[in-house]
Amino acid sequence: MTVQTFTSWGNVIRKPHESAPLLNRHADFPVAPQQSSLLPYGNGRSYGDSCLNVGAALIPTRSLDRFISLDTTSGMVTCEAGILFDEMFRVIIPAGWFVPVTPGTRFVTLGGAIANDVHGKNHHAVGTIGRHVLRFELLRSDGQRLICSRTENPQLFCATIGGLGLTGIITWAQLQLRPVAGPMMSVETIRFANLDEFMRLQSESDEKFEYTVAWVDCLGTGNQLGRGWFERANHSPTSAALPQQPQRGLNIRFTPPFSLVNAASLRLFNNFYYHWPRVRRGERWFESYFYPLDSIGHWNRLYGPRGLYQYQCVIPDAAGSEGTAALLNAISRSGQGSFLAVLKGFGALESPGMLSFPRTGLTLALDFPNRGQSLERLFGELDAIVRNAGGRIYPAKDGRMPPELFRSGYPRWREFAQYIDPRCSSSFWRRVMDGA
Ligand SMILES: Cc1cc2nc3c(=O)[nH]c(=O)nc-3n(C[C@H](O)[C@H](O)[C@H](O)COP(=O)(O)OP(=O)(O)OC[C@H]3O[C@@H](n4cnc5c(N)ncnc54)[C@H](O)[C@@H]3O)c2cc1C
C-alpha cells in the first residue's frame, strides 16, 4: 500500500490517500491499514468528492481493462470494470456496436459509469446506463463474489447501480450494446431565442431524434433568458472506418495562477458563440459530437488552482420550465457561471438504481469557478429553487450539497444504506450523512 495524491475533475480537493489498487479481477478485496475504510476509484471524472475518501483509502481499478467477451451478433459485451469507454470504442464500433448510453466524456470507466448510473443526451429515448446493464460481479469485503442482475441478488443490483461505489467493487459487467452503421452522427443545430423556444424544440424533437441537448447562454436576461443552441442527432446510416488514432487537440499543460473563466471572458465568449453562424445540418464524427470537451486535454486547469464546481440539478416536469427560468435568472443576476451550461429534458424511463439521479423533467448543468463565499451564496439560492420544486442534485457532479437536500432528493437513501459494504465509505457519503 502506498500513499498517493488523488483528485477529482473539479480539482477543489487534492489530498493524499492510501492507495490499494485491485490488480486483476480475481484478486482479493484489498485490506487497508488501521482498518480504515476503502472506496473504488475509476478514472476520477466525477467532479466533487463522490470518488474520494479523504483520510482513508482508495482502490484504483484501472488495471481491470480487458474485454472478456463480445457477441457480435447480439451486441452483448462483457468487460472488466476498469476499462474506459474510449478503449471499448476501438473494438465495438468496427464490430457495428455502440454503448447504449454515454456521458459527455469518453474517459470514464465502465465501473464508474455504473456506480453513477450515468445518463446521456438520449435519456428521453433509452434512460440511464443502468437499464442496459445485464449483470455484473460484485466483490464484497468479506470475500464474497456475487453475481448481480435483475433476477440474481436483485436488491444489490439496484443498490449498486448509482450506488457511488459504496456496495463493493464491480469487477466486471455485461452490457447490452446498440447497433450502429459506423462512427458518424447526423446532427442538426438550431439557434433558439429563449426558454419557450427551447421547450418547443425539445417537444418537437424528442420522438424523431435519439439525442437532444442544448447549450444555454447563462447570462441571457429578459426575453433572451435561456437563449442558446439546440442540437439534435441520430446515428448516421453511413459506414466509415474508425481512424487508427483518436484525434487529439490542445492540451492545457499547466494550471494558470488564477481562473481564466471570469465575468469578462464569459460575456465575450457567450455573445460570440451565440451569434456565430453554424452549419445547420451535417455529418460529424461521434467523438466531436459526443465529446467536444475531450479534444482539450485537462481543460479543467483553466479554472486555476482553486478549481471548479459543477452544479447539476433536475427540476421535475410540473415545475420544469418555471424552475429552470428561476435558476437562470439567479445565475445571470450573479454574473457567475461559465461557458459550459447545458440544458436537457429527461424522459420518463425509470432506472433500476435506488439512488439514480435522473427523473422526468429538465436538467441544467453549469460549471462555476470556485470563488468561495460568493459562489456558496449563489448555490444557496439555487438549492432553495431546487428544493421548492421537489428536485435534486447529481452526486457525480457535487462537492457541497447540504445533507438535508440530499436526503429530500433521494428518499430511498435509508433502503440503500442497508446494502453498503461495511468496509466502504467516501468523503461524499460522510458529508451527506452528517447528522443523519
Ligand atoms: C467532461 C465531463 C462530462 C460529463 N458528462 C456527464 C454526462 O453527460 N452524464 C453523466 O451522467 N455524467 C457525466 N459526467 C460525470 C461522469 O460521467 C461520472 O462521474 C462517471 O461516473 C466518472 O467515471 P470514472 O470512471 O471517472 O469514475 P470515478 O469518478 O473515479 O468514480 C465514480 C464513482 O464510481 C465508483 N466506482 C468506480 N469504479 C468502481 C468499481 N469498479 N466498482 C464500484 N464502484 C466504482 C467510485 O467509488 C465513485 O463513487 C461527466 C464528467 C466530465 C468530466
Coordinates of all heavy atoms in Angstrom, one line a residue, residues 111-185:
G111 N -17.0 0.6 -14.7 CA -17.5 0.6 -13.3 C -17.9 1.9 -12.7 O -19.0 2.0 -12.1
G112 N -17.2 3.0 -13.1 CA -17.5 4.3 -12.6 C -18.9 4.7 -13.2 O -19.7 5.4 -12.6
A113 N -19.1 4.4 -14.5 CA -20.3 4.8 -15.2 C -21.5 4.1 -14.5 O -22.6 4.7 -14.4 CB -20.3 4.4 -16.7
I114 N -21.3 2.8 -14.1 CA -22.5 2.1 -13.5 C -22.7 2.7 -12.1 O -23.8 2.9 -11.7 CB -22.2 0.6 -13.4 CG1 -22.1 0.0 -14.9 CG2 -23.2 -0.1 -12.6 CD1 -21.6 -1.4 -15.0
A115 N -21.6 2.9 -11.4 CA -21.7 3.4 -10.0 C -22.4 4.8 -9.9 O -22.9 5.2 -8.9 CB -20.4 3.4 -9.3
N116 N -22.3 5.6 -11.0 CA -23.1 6.8 -11.0 C -24.3 6.8 -11.9 O -25.0 7.8 -12.1 CB -22.2 8.0 -11.5 CG -21.4 8.6 -10.4 OD1 -21.9 8.7 -9.3 ND2 -20.1 9.0 -10.6
D117 N -24.6 5.6 -12.4 CA -25.8 5.4 -13.3 C -25.9 6.5 -14.3 O -26.9 7.3 -14.3 CB -27.1 5.2 -12.5 CG -28.2 4.7 -13.3 OD1 -27.9 4.1 -14.4 OD2 -29.3 4.7 -12.9
V118 N -24.8 6.7 -15.1 CA -24.7 7.9 -16.0 C -25.8 8.0 -17.0 O -26.4 6.9 -17.4 CB -23.3 8.0 -16.7 CG1 -22.2 8.1 -15.6 CG2 -23.1 6.8 -17.6
H119 N -26.1 9.2 -17.4 CA -27.1 9.4 -18.4 C -26.4 10.2 -19.6 O -25.3 10.7 -19.4 CB -28.2 10.3 -17.9 CG -27.7 11.6 -17.4 ND1 -27.3 11.8 -16.1 CD2 -27.4 12.8 -18.0 CE1 -26.8 13.0 -15.9 NE2 -26.9 13.7 -17.0
G120 N -27.1 10.2 -20.7 CA -26.5 10.9 -21.9 C -27.6 11.7 -22.5 O -28.6 12.0 -22.0
K121 N -27.2 12.2 -23.8 CA -28.1 13.1 -24.5 C -29.4 12.3 -25.0 O -30.3 12.9 -25.5 CB -27.4 13.6 -25.7 CG -26.2 14.5 -25.3 CD -25.4 14.9 -26.6 CE -24.1 15.6 -26.1 NZ -23.2 15.9 -27.3
N122 N -29.3 11.0 -24.8 CA -30.5 10.1 -25.2 C -31.3 9.7 -24.0 O -32.0 8.7 -24.1 CB -30.0 9.0 -26.1 CG -29.1 8.0 -25.3 OD1 -28.6 8.4 -24.2 ND2 -28.7 6.9 -25.9
H123 N -31.3 10.4 -22.9 CA -32.0 9.9 -21.8 C -33.5 9.7 -22.1 O -34.2 8.8 -21.7 CB -31.9 10.8 -20.5 CG -32.6 10.2 -19.3 ND1 -33.9 10.5 -19.1 CD2 -32.2 9.3 -18.4 CE1 -34.3 9.9 -18.0 NE2 -33.3 9.1 -17.6
H124 N -34.1 10.7 -22.9 CA -35.5 10.7 -23.2 C -35.9 9.4 -24.0 O -37.0 9.0 -24.0 CB -35.9 11.9 -23.9 CG -35.2 12.0 -25.3 ND1 -33.9 12.5 -25.4 CD2 -35.6 11.7 -26.5 CE1 -33.6 12.5 -26.7 NE2 -34.6 12.0 -27.4
A125 N -34.9 8.8 -24.7 CA -35.2 7.7 -25.5 C -34.8 6.3 -24.9 O -35.5 5.4 -25.1 CB -34.4 7.8 -26.8
V126 N -33.8 6.3 -24.1 CA -33.3 5.0 -23.6 C -33.1 5.0 -22.0 O -32.7 3.9 -21.5 CB -32.1 4.5 -24.3 CG1 -32.3 4.4 -25.8 CG2 -30.8 5.3 -24.0
G127 N -33.2 6.1 -21.4 CA -33.0 6.1 -19.9 C -31.5 6.1 -19.6 O -30.6 6.5 -20.4
T128 N -31.1 5.6 -18.4 CA -29.7 5.7 -17.9 C -29.0 4.4 -18.3 O -29.7 3.4 -18.7 CB -29.6 5.8 -16.4 OG1 -30.3 4.6 -15.8 CG2 -30.3 7.0 -15.9
I129 N -27.7 4.3 -18.1 CA -27.0 3.1 -18.4 C -27.4 1.9 -17.6 O -27.4 0.8 -18.1 CB -25.4 3.3 -18.2 CG1 -24.7 2.3 -19.0 CG2 -25.0 3.3 -16.8 CD1 -23.3 2.6 -19.3
G130 N -27.9 2.2 -16.4 CA -28.4 1.0 -15.5 C -29.4 0.2 -16.2 O -29.5 -1.0 -15.9
R131 N -30.2 0.8 -17.1 CA -31.3 0.0 -17.7 C -30.7 -1.0 -18.7 O -31.4 -1.9 -19.2 CB -32.2 0.9 -18.5 CG -33.1 1.8 -17.6 CD -33.9 2.7 -18.5 NE -34.8 2.0 -19.4 CZ -36.0 1.6 -19.2 NH1 -36.5 1.8 -18.0 NH2 -36.7 1.0 -20.1
H132 N -29.4 -0.8 -19.1 CA -28.8 -1.7 -20.1 C -27.8 -2.6 -19.6 O -27.1 -3.3 -20.3 CB -28.2 -0.8 -21.2 CG -29.2 0.2 -21.7 ND1 -30.1 -0.1 -22.7 CD2 -29.6 1.5 -21.2 CE1 -30.9 1.0 -22.9 NE2 -30.6 1.9 -22.0
V133 N -27.6 -2.6 -18.2 CA -26.6 -3.5 -17.6 C -27.4 -4.8 -17.4 O -28.4 -4.8 -16.7 CB -26.2 -2.9 -16.2 CG1 -25.3 -3.9 -15.5 CG2 -25.4 -1.6 -16.4
L134 N -26.8 -5.9 -17.9 CA -27.4 -7.2 -17.8 C -27.0 -7.9 -16.5 O -27.9 -8.4 -15.8 CB -27.1 -8.1 -19.0 CG -27.5 -7.4 -20.3 CD1 -27.0 -8.3 -21.5 CD2 -29.0 -7.3 -20.4
R135 N -25.8 -7.8 -16.2 CA -25.3 -8.4 -14.9 C -23.9 -7.9 -14.6 O -23.2 -7.4 -15.5 CB -25.3 -9.9 -14.9 CG -24.5 -10.6 -16.1 CD -25.3 -11.8 -16.6 NE -25.3 -12.9 -15.6 CZ -24.4 -13.9 -15.5 NH1 -23.5 -14.0 -16.4 NH2 -24.5 -14.8 -14.6
F136 N -23.4 -8.1 -13.4 CA -22.1 -7.8 -13.0 C -21.7 -8.6 -11.8 O -22.5 -9.2 -11.1 CB -21.8 -6.3 -12.7 CG -22.8 -5.7 -11.7 CD1 -22.6 -5.9 -10.4 CD2 -23.9 -4.9 -12.1 CE1 -23.5 -5.3 -9.4 CE2 -24.8 -4.4 -11.2 CZ -24.6 -4.6 -9.9
E137 N -20.3 -8.7 -11.6 CA -19.8 -9.4 -10.4 C -19.5 -8.3 -9.4 O -18.8 -7.3 -9.7 CB -18.6 -10.2 -10.7 CG -18.1 -10.9 -9.4 CD -16.8 -11.6 -9.7 OE1 -15.7 -11.0 -9.8 OE2 -16.8 -12.9 -9.7
L138 N -19.9 -8.5 -8.1 CA -19.7 -7.5 -7.1 C -18.8 -8.2 -6.0 O -19.2 -9.3 -5.5 CB -21.0 -7.1 -6.4 CG -20.9 -6.0 -5.4 CD1 -20.5 -4.7 -6.1 CD2 -22.2 -5.7 -4.7
L139 N -17.6 -7.7 -5.8 CA -16.7 -8.2 -4.8 C -16.9 -7.5 -3.5 O -16.7 -6.3 -3.4 CB -15.2 -8.1 -5.3 CG -14.1 -8.5 -4.3 CD1 -14.2 -9.9 -3.9 CD2 -12.7 -8.2 -5.0
R140 N -17.3 -8.2 -2.5 CA -17.5 -7.6 -1.2 C -16.3 -7.8 -0.2 O -15.5 -8.7 -0.5 CB -18.8 -8.2 -0.5 CG -20.0 -8.1 -1.4 CD -20.8 -6.8 -1.1 NE -21.5 -6.8 0.2 CZ -22.2 -5.9 0.6 NH1 -22.4 -4.8 -0.1 NH2 -22.8 -5.9 1.8
S141 N -16.2 -7.0 0.8 CA -15.0 -7.1 1.7 C -15.0 -8.3 2.5 O -13.9 -8.7 3.0 CB -15.0 -5.9 2.6 OG -16.1 -5.9 3.5
D142 N -16.1 -9.1 2.6 CA -16.0 -10.4 3.3 C -15.5 -11.5 2.3 O -15.6 -12.7 2.7 CB -17.3 -10.8 3.9 CG -18.4 -10.9 2.9 OD1 -18.1 -10.8 1.7 OD2 -19.6 -11.1 3.3
G143 N -15.1 -11.1 1.1 CA -14.6 -12.1 0.2 C -15.6 -12.7 -0.8 O -15.3 -13.4 -1.7
Q144 N -16.9 -12.4 -0.5 CA -18.0 -13.0 -1.4 C -17.9 -12.3 -2.8 O -17.6 -11.1 -2.9 CB -19.3 -12.6 -0.9 CG -19.8 -13.5 0.3 CD -21.2 -13.3 0.5 OE1 -22.1 -13.9 -0.1 NE2 -21.6 -12.3 1.4
R145 N -18.1 -13.1 -3.8 CA -18.2 -12.6 -5.2 C -19.6 -12.9 -5.6 O -20.0 -14.1 -5.9 CB -17.2 -13.3 -6.1 CG -15.8 -12.9 -5.9 CD -14.8 -13.7 -6.7 NE -13.5 -13.3 -6.4 CZ -12.9 -12.2 -6.9 NH1 -13.5 -11.6 -7.9 NH2 -11.7 -11.9 -6.5
L146 N -20.4 -11.9 -5.8 CA -21.9 -12.1 -6.0 C -22.2 -11.6 -7.4 O -21.8 -10.5 -7.9 CB -22.7 -11.2 -5.0 CG -22.4 -11.5 -3.6 CD1 -23.1 -10.5 -2.7 CD2 -23.0 -12.9 -3.2
I147 N -22.9 -12.5 -8.2 CA -23.4 -12.1 -9.5 C -24.7 -11.4 -9.2 O -25.6 -11.9 -8.5 CB -23.6 -13.4 -10.4 CG1 -22.3 -14.2 -10.5 CG2 -24.2 -13.0 -11.7 CD1 -21.2 -13.5 -11.2
C148 N -24.8 -10.2 -9.8 CA -26.0 -9.4 -9.6 C -26.7 -9.1 -10.9 O -26.0 -8.7 -11.9 CB -25.6 -8.1 -8.9 SG -24.8 -8.2 -7.3
S149 N -28.0 -9.3 -11.0 CA -28.7 -9.0 -12.2 C -30.2 -8.7 -11.7 O -30.4 -8.6 -10.5 CB -28.7 -10.1 -13.1 OG -29.5 -11.2 -12.6
R150 N -31.1 -8.5 -12.6 CA -32.5 -8.2 -12.2 C -33.0 -9.4 -11.5 O -34.0 -9.3 -10.7 CB -33.3 -7.8 -13.4 CG -33.0 -6.4 -13.9 CD -33.9 -6.0 -15.0 NE -33.4 -4.7 -15.6 CZ -34.0 -3.5 -15.4 NH1 -35.1 -3.5 -14.7 NH2 -33.6 -2.4 -15.9
T151 N -32.5 -10.6 -11.7 CA -33.0 -11.8 -11.1 C -32.1 -12.5 -10.0 O -32.5 -13.2 -9.2 CB -33.4 -12.9 -12.1 OG1 -32.2 -13.1 -12.9 CG2 -34.5 -12.5 -13.0
E152 N -30.8 -12.2 -10.1 CA -29.8 -12.7 -9.1 C -29.4 -11.6 -8.2 O -29.0 -10.5 -8.7 CB -28.6 -13.3 -9.8 CG -28.9 -14.3 -10.8 CD -27.8 -14.3 -11.9 OE1 -27.9 -13.4 -12.8 OE2 -26.9 -15.2 -11.9
N153 N -29.5 -11.7 -6.9 CA -29.3 -10.7 -5.9 C -29.8 -9.3 -6.4 O -29.1 -8.3 -6.5 CB -27.7 -10.5 -5.7 CG -27.1 -11.8 -5.1 OD1 -27.5 -12.2 -4.0 ND2 -26.2 -12.4 -5.9
P154 N -31.1 -9.3 -6.7 CA -31.7 -8.1 -7.3 C -31.6 -6.8 -6.5 O -31.4 -5.7 -7.1 CB -33.2 -8.5 -7.6 CG -33.4 -9.6 -6.7 CD -32.1 -10.4 -6.5
Q155 N -31.6 -7.0 -5.2 CA -31.5 -5.8 -4.3 C -30.2 -5.1 -4.4 O -30.0 -3.9 -4.5 CB -31.9 -6.1 -2.9 CG -33.3 -6.5 -2.7 CD -34.3 -5.4 -3.0 OE1 -34.0 -4.5 -3.7 NE2 -35.5 -5.5 -2.4
L156 N -29.1 -6.0 -4.4 CA -27.8 -5.5 -4.5 C -27.5 -4.9 -5.9 O -26.8 -3.9 -6.1 CB -26.7 -6.6 -4.3 CG -26.2 -6.6 -2.8 CD1 -25.2 -7.8 -2.7 CD2 -25.4 -5.3 -2.5
F157 N -28.2 -5.5 -6.9 CA -28.1 -5.0 -8.3 C -28.6 -3.5 -8.3 O -28.0 -2.6 -8.8 CB -29.0 -5.9 -9.2 CG -29.0 -5.5 -10.6 CD1 -27.9 -5.7 -11.5 CD2 -30.2 -4.9 -11.2 CE1 -28.0 -5.4 -12.8 CE2 -30.2 -4.6 -12.5 CZ -29.1 -4.8 -13.4
C158 N -29.8 -3.3 -7.7 CA -30.4 -2.0 -7.7 C -29.7 -1.0 -6.8 O -29.6 0.2 -7.1 CB -31.9 -2.1 -7.2 SG -32.9 -3.1 -8.3
A159 N -29.0 -1.5 -5.7 CA -28.3 -0.6 -4.9 C -27.0 -0.2 -5.5 O -26.5 0.9 -5.3 CB -28.0 -1.3 -3.5
T160 N -26.4 -1.1 -6.3 CA -25.0 -0.8 -6.9 C -25.1 0.1 -8.1 O -24.2 0.8 -8.4 CB -24.4 -2.2 -7.2 OG1 -24.3 -3.0 -6.0 CG2 -23.0 -2.0 -7.8
I161 N -26.2 0.0 -8.8 CA -26.4 0.9 -10.0 C -26.7 2.3 -9.4 O -27.7 2.5 -8.7 CB -27.5 0.4 -10.9 CG1 -27.1 -0.9 -11.6 CG2 -27.9 1.5 -11.9 CD1 -28.1 -1.5 -12.4
G162 N -25.8 3.2 -9.6 CA -25.9 4.5 -8.9 C -25.5 4.5 -7.5 O -25.8 5.4 -6.7
G163 N -24.9 3.4 -7.1 CA -24.6 3.2 -5.6 C -23.3 3.8 -5.2 O -22.8 3.5 -4.1
L164 N -22.6 4.7 -6.0 CA -21.5 5.5 -5.6 C -20.3 4.7 -5.1 O -19.6 5.2 -4.2 CB -22.0 6.6 -4.6 CG -23.1 7.4 -5.0 CD1 -23.7 8.2 -3.9 CD2 -22.7 8.4 -6.1
G165 N -20.2 3.5 -5.5 CA -19.0 2.7 -5.1 C -19.1 2.1 -3.7 O -18.2 1.5 -3.2
L166 N -20.3 2.3 -3.0 CA -20.3 2.0 -1.6 C -20.8 0.6 -1.3 O -20.7 0.1 -0.1 CB -21.3 3.0 -0.9 CG -20.9 4.5 -0.9 CD1 -22.0 5.4 -0.6 CD2 -19.7 4.7 0.0
T167 N -21.2 -0.1 -2.3 CA -21.7 -1.5 -2.0 C -20.6 -2.6 -2.3 O -20.9 -3.8 -2.1 CB -22.9 -1.8 -3.0 OG1 -22.5 -1.7 -4.3 CG2 -24.0 -0.9 -2.7
G168 N -19.4 -2.2 -2.7 CA -18.3 -3.1 -3.0 C -17.7 -2.8 -4.4 O -18.0 -1.7 -5.0
I169 N -16.9 -3.7 -4.9 CA -16.2 -3.4 -6.1 C -16.8 -4.2 -7.3 O -17.0 -5.5 -7.2 CB -14.7 -3.9 -6.1 CG1 -14.0 -3.3 -4.8 CG2 -13.9 -3.5 -7.3 CD1 -12.6 -3.9 -4.6
I170 N -17.2 -3.5 -8.3 CA -17.7 -4.2 -9.5 C -16.4 -4.7 -10.2 O -15.5 -3.8 -10.5 CB -18.5 -3.2 -10.5 CG1 -19.7 -2.7 -9.7 CG2 -18.9 -3.9 -11.7 CD1 -20.3 -1.5 -10.4
T171 N -16.3 -6.0 -10.5 CA -15.0 -6.4 -11.1 C -15.2 -6.5 -12.6 O -14.3 -6.3 -13.4 CB -14.6 -7.8 -10.6 OG1 -15.7 -8.7 -10.7 CG2 -14.2 -7.7 -9.1
W172 N -16.4 -7.0 -13.1 CA -16.7 -7.0 -14.5 C -18.2 -6.7 -14.7 O -19.0 -6.9 -13.7 CB -16.3 -8.3 -15.2 CG -16.9 -9.6 -14.6 CD1 -16.3 -10.4 -13.7 CD2 -18.3 -10.1 -14.8 NE1 -17.2 -11.4 -13.3 CE2 -18.4 -11.3 -14.0 CE3 -19.4 -9.7 -15.5 CZ2 -19.5 -12.0 -13.9 CZ3 -20.5 -10.5 -15.5 CH2 -20.6 -11.6 -14.7
A173 N -18.6 -6.3 -15.8 CA -20.0 -6.1 -16.1 C -20.4 -6.5 -17.5 O -19.5 -6.4 -18.4 CB -20.4 -4.6 -15.9
Q174 N -21.6 -6.9 -17.7 CA -22.2 -7.2 -19.0 C -23.2 -6.2 -19.4 O -24.1 -5.9 -18.6 CB -22.8 -8.6 -18.9 CG -23.2 -9.2 -20.3 CD -23.6 -10.6 -20.2 OE1 -24.6 -10.9 -19.5 NE2 -22.9 -11.5 -20.8
L175 N -23.1 -5.8 -20.6 CA -23.9 -4.6 -21.1 C -24.5 -5.0 -22.4 O -23.9 -5.7 -23.3 CB -22.9 -3.5 -21.4 CG -23.3 -2.0 -21.3 CD1 -23.9 -1.8 -19.9 CD2 -22.1 -1.2 -21.5
Q176 N -25.8 -4.6 -22.7 CA -26.4 -4.7 -24.0 C -26.0 -3.5 -24.8 O -26.4 -2.4 -24.5 CB -27.9 -4.9 -23.9 CG -28.6 -5.0 -25.2 CD -28.1 -6.2 -26.0 OE1 -28.2 -7.4 -25.6 NE2 -27.6 -6.0 -27.3
L177 N -25.3 -3.7 -25.9 CA -24.9 -2.5 -26.8 C -26.1 -2.2 -27.8 O -27.0 -3.0 -27.9 CB -23.6 -2.9 -27.5 CG -22.4 -3.2 -26.7 CD1 -21.3 -3.7 -27.5 CD2 -22.0 -2.0 -25.8
R178 N -25.9 -1.1 -28.5 CA -26.9 -0.8 -29.5 C -26.2 -0.8 -30.9 O -25.0 -0.4 -31.0 CB -27.7 0.5 -29.2 CG -26.8 1.7 -29.0 CD -26.7 2.6 -30.2 NE -27.9 3.3 -30.5 CZ -28.5 3.3 -31.7 NH1 -27.9 2.8 -32.7 NH2 -29.6 4.0 -31.9
P179 N -26.9 -1.3 -31.9 CA -26.2 -1.4 -33.2 C -26.0 0.0 -33.9 O -26.9 0.9 -33.7 CB -27.2 -2.2 -34.1 CG -28.5 -2.1 -33.4 CD -28.3 -1.8 -31.9
V180 N -24.9 0.1 -34.6 CA -24.7 1.3 -35.4 C -24.0 0.9 -36.7 O -23.3 -0.1 -36.8 CB -23.7 2.3 -34.7 CG1 -24.4 3.0 -33.5 CG2 -22.4 1.7 -34.2
A181 N -24.2 1.8 -37.7 CA -23.6 1.5 -39.0 C -22.1 1.9 -39.0 O -21.3 1.4 -39.7 CB -24.3 2.3 -40.1
G182 N -21.7 2.9 -38.2 CA -20.4 3.3 -38.1 C -20.2 4.5 -37.1 O -21.1 4.7 -36.3
P183 N -19.1 5.2 -37.2 CA -18.8 6.2 -36.2 C -19.3 7.6 -36.5 O -19.0 8.5 -35.8 CB -17.3 6.2 -36.2 CG -16.9 5.8 -37.6 CD -17.9 4.9 -38.1
M184 N -20.2 7.7 -37.5 CA -20.7 9.1 -37.9 C -22.0 9.3 -37.3 O -22.8 8.4 -37.0 CB -20.8 9.2 -39.4 CG -19.5 8.9 -40.2 SD -18.1 9.9 -39.7 CE -18.5 11.5 -40.3
M185 N -22.3 10.6 -37.0 CA -23.6 11.1 -36.5 C -24.2 12.1 -37.5 O -23.5 12.9 -38.1 CB -23.3 11.8 -35.1 CG -22.7 11.0 -34.1 SD -23.6 9.6 -33.5 CE -25.0 10.4 -32.8

